Every structure is written in structure tokens, then in C-alpha cells.
Amino acid sequence: MTDFFLSLWRFDVLTQYALILLAIVTVGGALVSLNTLRQEIATGIIGKRDTHRFAILGILCVIGFAAALLTKNILVLWIALEIVTVCTALVIAFYKRPNSGQAAWNYIRLSTIGVIVMFVGLIFLVKIGIATGLSPWDALSLDALRVAAPNFSAPTLKIAFALIFLGFGTKMGLVPLHTWAAEAYSKISSPMSGFLAAMLPLTVLIALLRIRQIVDTNLNDGGTWTGRLFLVFGIVSIVVTALTLIRQKNYKRMTSTLALHHSGLTVFMIGLGPAGMIPALIHAFTQALVTSGLFAATGIIHGTYKTSKFSGVQNMLSVLPTTAVLMMILAAAALAVPFSGFFTSEVVGLGYGLQENFWVTLLALIAVILAAACLLRFVLTMLLPSTEAAPIALQPGQWKLSNAVLALHVLIIFALGAYVSTQSGIRVVITAVQTVGGL
């Protein structure tokens, strides 16, 4: 029984920190949801019984993410990710808002394509393992496949990984398979949007990196071939999402697109070379915290102003002073100010990229600056007063709990940024990178 258990699960350094992050994002999202759900019940958007269904879907997503992070079995990984996929589709359709059904259908359509492509790639990978003498059970183990990888057929393995990359890329929201994300997350309650947008890219990325180990071990090229896939999809995602931000009019869509932009930047850093894995992991973990925090802020804004349009939100410094200050700090973290995790990851990652691949990294840097300018413009528009803004009445302490969660996110983001700048922090990151074959 012990051997069977050990054949399914792992608990390395990277998994431990990912689970800690999952706990932080889950607890924060649950606390913010208390405010959101109370208000939606009071306004008749949902009934009390609906909250039970919502909670069950949320718990299933947490279980799915935890299982996907812990497992080293391909079958368990696939089942865990599909639990998250199905629950996400049900959450999108939960509110029965205008176009929610269409958003759920678009998500199901693209996710199904991704699932099929990923499943075919995983089947290819398992069959390669069986063809080289592994038992069917061992061929489902990522560890066993990595050990046997030198004996695999390289051309077939490349095809398998390309399919797996496309399937996982759909779930991460990499361009061109990203169109579901902004629409889907804009239809979900902000706390759940933040939870999914934070954990889905990170969970899928870690799984993809573990599978990448198998290919890199077989090719023995220092990750050059697989790195090209990461580099191409990363730079395309960075540029396209930055251009998309220019014409955004909806702040929830803006937050979703910004999350996709940073996912692309993480993938791009991985593609730069082995040393790019260090800033990439820092960026991925910081992105989860920043995304969760920004979505929590959008929940407060939407609950107060009753609109998702930038044009309907002004004078936050007077209407929501605490939220406004915390959102400014979160936006500053997203802009990579010193001591934030993004500052460390982008300075190190893009600096390394300018040495390794100057022109492509320069393009990425321009796109990052463009995205930052768009975010700054949007935030200032919402914070500054307007003569046309109508007065808004708030109940005393209405958003106290949500603001406490925002403050916690801010604290953790800058604590993480400071920690990874120290020698002990860098050692922990390097250890985590080594668990997925980096360095």
C-alpha cells in the first residue's frame, strides 16, 4: 500500500510552496466571497441554496488543483485537470447573466480542443514508454518515464510533447488559444475569477515542466528544442495581450488580460534558457498573488459601482479610500516596483534575455512597458475624481473583510519579493527549479 501511494504522489520543494500558495489564494478567495455572496443574496442575484452549489464547485476546484500539483501519475493528473475544467464551465454558467451561456460554451469548446490534443499527446507518451519495456502502470509514472527517457524515440517524443504543450497552453491561456479567458473570467464572481486565474496557469505550468524533463533527458540538448516552443508562444502571448490591453473598456477583462500577459512572460523566460527558470518561477508565483489580489479589488469595485466599465468608475480615493490605496499598491507591484516579486523576476529575466536573445527580448520589453502604461492609465482613471461622478452611499464596514484580504496579499507579495532577493531565498528557488530539471 505504501509503495502504491508513493507511486502516485510527490512532495518536493516546488510542490510544497505551490500548495502553500494554493492555501493562501483559497482562503483569501473564500473570505472575499463571503462579502460578495452576501451582497448578491441581498440583491436577489442568487438564492441561499445557490451558495451551496457555488461552495461545492469551489471545493472541487481546490481538490483538483491540489491533486494535479501532488501527483506524478499521468492518469491522475489528467483527471484532476478535467475536474477543474468541468467545474470552471459550471461556474461560468452559474450566474445566468447575459452571454454567460455563450461564455461557458466558448470555454467548453476551446477546452475540449485542448483536452483532446493534450490527451492524444499523453497517450503518445505512455505508448512510447510501453514500447521501450515499461509496464502499463510504470508508463503512467512521470518518474519512471524520465528514467527510461534515453531509450525513447526522439521524433515520436517530440510530437507527443508538442501536442501536450498545445493542450496545456490552452488551459494557460497562451495565444492563440487564449480567447476564452477574458470572456469567461468576466462572467464569474471576482473572487472565483481571481482563484482560477491565479492557480490554473501555475498548476498547468508545473505539470508541463515535469513532462518537459522527460523530453530534455531524451534529447540531451540542455532544453534547446523544448525552449523554442516556450520562447515562441511566450513572445507571441506577451505582444498580443499587450496590444489587447490598449482597447480594453472593462476592468475585469483588463485584469484577465493582464494575467495572460504575465503567463506569457513566464513562459518566455523559461524559453530563454536554463537560467531563465529562476526568474520564471518567481514570476509565476508572484503572478498568482497579484492576480488574486487585483480580482479581489475588482469585486469590491463592482459591488460598489455596479458596473464593469472603466467609464462608470471614478473618484475611488473618496468613495473607497482603503481599497483605492491597496489597489494602488497592487498595481505598483504589477508594474514591477522595487521589492515586489515582479521587480526581481523581470530585472533578472529580461536582463538575462537581452544577453541571450537580444532582439526578441527587446520586443518583449517594449510589450511589457506598453502593458504597464495601459495598467497605469486605467488605475489613474478609476482613482481620480470626476465632476460627473454620482455620489455613492456605503454601509459602514461593508468591505472591511475584503480589504483585510487585499492587505494580506500586498504584505505577502512584497515579503516574497524581498525574500527571493536574499541568498537564502535564491537557494530555495534554485532547489525548486532543480526539481523540474532546470540548471
Side-chain angles (χ1 to χ4, degrees), residues 23-46:
I24 293 170
V25 174
T26 299
V27 172
L31 292 175
V32 175
S33 291
L34 292 177
N35 268 350
T36 305
L37 292 174
R38 281 198 201 104
Q39 189 175 67
E40 289 172 344
I41 291 171
T43 55
I45 296 175
I46 61 173

Side-chain angles (χ1 to χ4, degrees), residues 125-126 128-141 143-149 152:
L125 184 59
V126 172
I128 293 170
I130 294 174
T132 54
L134 292 177
S135 68
W137 179 253
D138 285 340
L140 290 170
S141 169
D143 286 352
L145 288 169
R146 187 177 68 252
V147 171
F152 293 170

